[in-house]
């Protein structure tokens, strides 16, 4: 995995360098065209995934007199981009997707607990490349594609017994590229449409808003009713960030 990450970073750096014209004098030109952006992105999911959680929420309420909530978690992200001929933007991103799901319900005929709480967390990290074209008034539209780096899943279960004792169970699982592709059978690639908006606060600082709509599926035959790992098959996100221009352009 490390070799592939290095190759992607080298390819991105070469692309930015090559499009600036090449040669020793073009290094300062390349830096003058570059910007860095730090933001916070919120994950969204496909319709089938949302429908599954709506069904779970109804089941928890009607069958167990409990409750559940799907929390759209936020993750920090980092972007390095350049501005090329025709005001085209392109660069590399490091970002995460994920979710947090919580359930809580009282005792049932099947257990001896007065209450039971579950907390599920999942996140996955991608390294991405993007290219967007200006539409005017600070709006850009284009494509974004990425490569899976790693994932993480955590389950925490808390049960309170009738005598007041608390029983905790935690399960942490790190998902490597081999786990993702060979064990789970998921695609390591993600791609979709990217819409960007930039608003200048000064000559060097901008506020940026991004919307990403995923078009790929990690598993073309995904069936949430049969999936044992319970991972969204498609991710979308909204990102709010601050962009700083490195040069004077």
């Amino acid at each position: 995995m490390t070799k592939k990450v290095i190759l992607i970073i080298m390819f991105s750096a070469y692309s930015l360098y090559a499009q600036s014209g090449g040669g020793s004098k073009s290094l300062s030109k390349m830096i003058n065209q570059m910007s860095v952006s730090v933001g916070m992105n919120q994950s969204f999911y496909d319709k089938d995934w949302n429908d599954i959680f709506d069904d779970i929420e109804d089941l928890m309420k009607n069958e167990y007199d409990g409750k559940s909530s799907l929390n759209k978690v936020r993750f920090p992200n980092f972007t390095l981009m350049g501005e090329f001929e025709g005001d085209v933007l392109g660069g590399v991103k490091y970002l995460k997707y994920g979710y947090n799901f919580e359930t809580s319900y009282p005792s049932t005929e099947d257990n001896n607990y007065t209450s039971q709480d579950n907390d599920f967390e999942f996140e996955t990290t991608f390294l991405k490349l993007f290219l967007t074209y200006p539409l005017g008034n600070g709006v850009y539209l284009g494509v974004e594609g990425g490569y899976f780096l790693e994932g993480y899943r955590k389950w925490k279960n808390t049960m309170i017994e009738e005598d007041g004792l608390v029983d905790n169970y935690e399960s942490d699982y790190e998902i490597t590229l081999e786990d993702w592709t060979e064990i789970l059978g998921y695609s390591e690639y993600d791609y979709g449409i990217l819409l960007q908006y930039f608003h200048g606060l000064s000559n060097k600082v901008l506020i940026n808003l991004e919307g990403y709509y995923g078009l790929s599926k990690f598993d073309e035959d995904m069936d949430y009713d049969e999936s044992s790992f319970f991972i969204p098959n498609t991710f979308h996100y909204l990102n709010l960030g601050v962009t700083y221009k490195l040069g004077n352009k």
Side-chain angles (χ1 to χ4, degrees):
M1 181 182 72
T2 303
K3 291 182 178 179
K4 291 183 178 180
V5 172
I6 293 175
L7 286 173
I8 293 175
I9 294 175
M10 290 176 63
F11 173 77
S12 303
Y14 172 78
S15 297
L16 292 175
Y17 182 73
Q19 293 189 50
S20 68
S24 58
K25 292 183 179 180
S26 66
L27 179 60
S28 60
K29 179 182 177 182
M30 179 186 71
I31 295 176
N32 196 50
Q33 294 173 325
M34 291 177 62
S35 302
V36 294
S37 179
V38 178
M40 190 72 68
N41 63 280
Q42 177 171 299
S43 300
F44 295 92
Y45 321 102
D46 60 270
K47 182 180 182 301
D48 290 341
W49 174 265
N50 293 325
D51 289 343
I52 285 289
F53 276 97
D54 288 341
D55 293 341
I56 293 176
E57 185 175 0
D58 292 339
L59 176 66
M60 292 293 298
K61 181 179 179 180
N62 298 327
E63 296 293 329
Y64 299 106
D65 194 27
K67 59 182 180 180
S68 65
S69 60
L70 176 61
N71 306 312
K72 295 180 173 66
V73 294
R74 300 173 180 87
F75 295 103
N77 59 76
F78 175 81
T79 301
L80 175 66
M81 62 182 163
E83 183 176 354
F84 309 119
E85 184 178 351
D87 295 328
V88 173
L89 300 181
V92 59
K93 290 184 177 184
Y94 177 88
L95 58 79
K96 296 182 178 182
Y97 303 130
Y99 74 87
N100 172 256
F101 179 62
E102 298 175 314
T103 65
S104 177
Y105 53 94
S107 62
T108 68
E109 296 178 355
D110 299 328
N111 64 56
N112 297 318
Y113 299 98
T114 59
S115 67
Q116 184 171 175
D117 298 322
N118 290 280
D119 188 354
F120 301 88
E121 296 180 17
F122 169 75
E123 64 182 57
T124 179
T125 306
F126 276 81
L127 188 67
K128 291 192 156 192
L129 301 176
F130 71 93
L131 192 67
T132 56
Y133 295 82
L135 300 180
N137 299 318
V139 179
Y140 293 76
L141 179 65
V143 294
E144 178 175 297
Y147 188 81
F148 175 87
L149 297 182
E150 60 184 358
Y152 173 79
R153 189 183 71 164
K154 179 179 180 180
W155 173 41
K156 181 178 181 181
N157 174 253
T158 302
M159 296 175 287
I160 301 178
E161 300 182 15
E162 293 179 347
D163 56 7
L165 293 177
V166 179
D167 187 9
N168 287 319
Y169 173 78
E170 290 190 24
S171 174
D172 295 337
Y173 185 76
E174 293 184 8
I175 308 169
T176 65
L177 178 60
E178 182 179 3
D179 295 333
W180 185 262
T181 57
E182 297 185 13
I183 297 179
L184 297 176
Y186 292 162
S187 170
E188 65 267 44
Y189 299 104
D190 178 40
Y191 58 86
I193 299 172
L194 179 65
L195 181 67
Q196 299 173 307
Y197 171 71
F198 295 89
H199 176 73
L201 300 179
S202 68
N203 290 334
K204 298 180 74 68
V205 180
L206 305 94
I207 295 291
N208 62 285
L209 177 65
E210 295 181 319
Y212 171 79
Y213 188 86
L215 298 176
S216 61
K217 294 181 178 180
F218 298 137
D219 183 352
E220 293 294 336
D221 300 318
M222 171 72 79
D223 186 341
Y224 288 130
D225 293 327
E226 299 180 0
S227 174
S228 60
F229 215 74
F230 217 46
I231 295 175
N233 201 22
T234 300
F235 279 99
H236 318 297
Y237 71 77
L238 284 178
N239 174 52
L240 179 63
V242 177
T243 299
Y244 180 78
K245 294 184 176 182
L246 298 179
N248 300 316
K249 184 175 172 22

